[in-house]
Amino acid sequence: METELIELFDAVKKAADAAALGAGGTDYLPEEDRCLDALKVLKKFPVNYHILVSTQVGKRLRQLTKHPRKKIQSLASELVEIWKGVIVEETLKNKKNGNMDVRESPKEMSEKKVDRVNSIKAEKVSKTENVKNGHGGPPISSEKKVNVVKAEKKEDKLTPEAKKPSTNAVAPLKLTSLVYCKDPVRDKIRELLAEALCKVPGEADEELRDEANACDPYRVAVSVESAMFEKWGRSNGAQKFKYRSIMFNIKDPKNPDFRRKILLGHVKPERILELTPEEMASTERQMQNVKIKEKALFECERGGPPKATTDQFRCGRCGKRKCTYYQLQTRSADEPMTTFVTCVNCDNHWKFC
């Protein structure tokens, strides 16, 4: 029966390959009809679990479920489902009857052969070691050796990710209230910081709101105050202005960006102590500062004396003739103007009347 099944499937496969050559068109193909007729005969062929497993025809038939011709594809899919049902039905029947004499797959048989070979090798090694031990040590049992071999095989089958130790640390619990240090001045700073950081979820956009709610404002406030105290000491004397600068920028209602960065951990407590007031300012304020600086620089250049470039003067230091100059009336009105010359190459300055 196995030979007949294989020959019948070969006929189906040959007709299907011939029909696939004309798959681009919609014309009638006699090869398609031959393939469909062979599939119908194959559908009526009596099969069971042992035949399907030994011939592996089911796996080869799955290739026809992706055939370009729709009729061949549908009939092959229907036949695959029927054979699947046969395998499942016989497997359940054997399990219920307690008859486990079901032919194993080639993969399972190869694995059992490997285990059998390993166990034989382990027994031979244990016997040789027993002979070597002589009258001294106790004999080494073959069961222990087989267990060692199997344990080594299991370790080899482990993936690199499974072999790595787990590094998932448990996140600290979110504080429900502020932690005090029994120092009135330091506790007051912690309260002000926590009050400002608790406003972040309400100020954040919808995209960052969930992330902000997951953060712990009380723990962050304690971390920032502790970092300031460790570096600067108490908030009095010369360090008072540094404390005030950080507190003002964190509490500033026009600077929600800085508060959000601190709460989300984008700016660490140790990094906050190194920031300048310009760096702690909001993005809008930083852009305004840039515009103010550019405007001041422009006004400064515009307000200076007019300069002209010429090659009429020669620098006494480098000998180049590319210079800028301007003139001013430094003496009385009836005296000539004083010319101030600057060398573009070496920045040498001189004047003459």
Side-chain angles (χ1 to χ4, degrees), residues 42-56:
L42 192 64
K43 186 177 179 181
K44 297 178 181 179
F45 191 87
V47 295
N48 54 34
Y49 180 91
H50 296 291
I51 294 176
L52 292 175
V53 172
S54 61
T55 58
Q56 297 294 311

Side-chain angles (χ1 to χ4, degrees), residues 221-275:
V222 172
S223 301
V224 173
E225 190 278 331
S226 300
M228 291 192 293
F229 182 77
E230 289 177 3
K231 186 171 183 179
W232 296 330
R234 298 184 64 83
S235 59
N236 53 14
Q239 313 301 334
K240 185 175 183 180
F241 298 101
K242 296 181 180 179
Y243 272 88
R244 283 188 175 182
S245 176
I246 293 177
M247 297 294 295
F248 172 77
N249 283 281
I250 294 177
K251 292 167 52 182
D252 186 7
K254 297 181 180 180
N255 195 3
D257 298 336
F258 188 51
R259 283 193 294 275
R260 185 182 67 253
K261 291 178 182 178
I262 294 175
L263 181 62
L264 300 182
H266 298 165
V267 182
K268 300 298 181 182
E270 296 77 12
R271 172 62 180 155
I272 298 172
L273 312 183
E274 301 174 359
L275 297 177

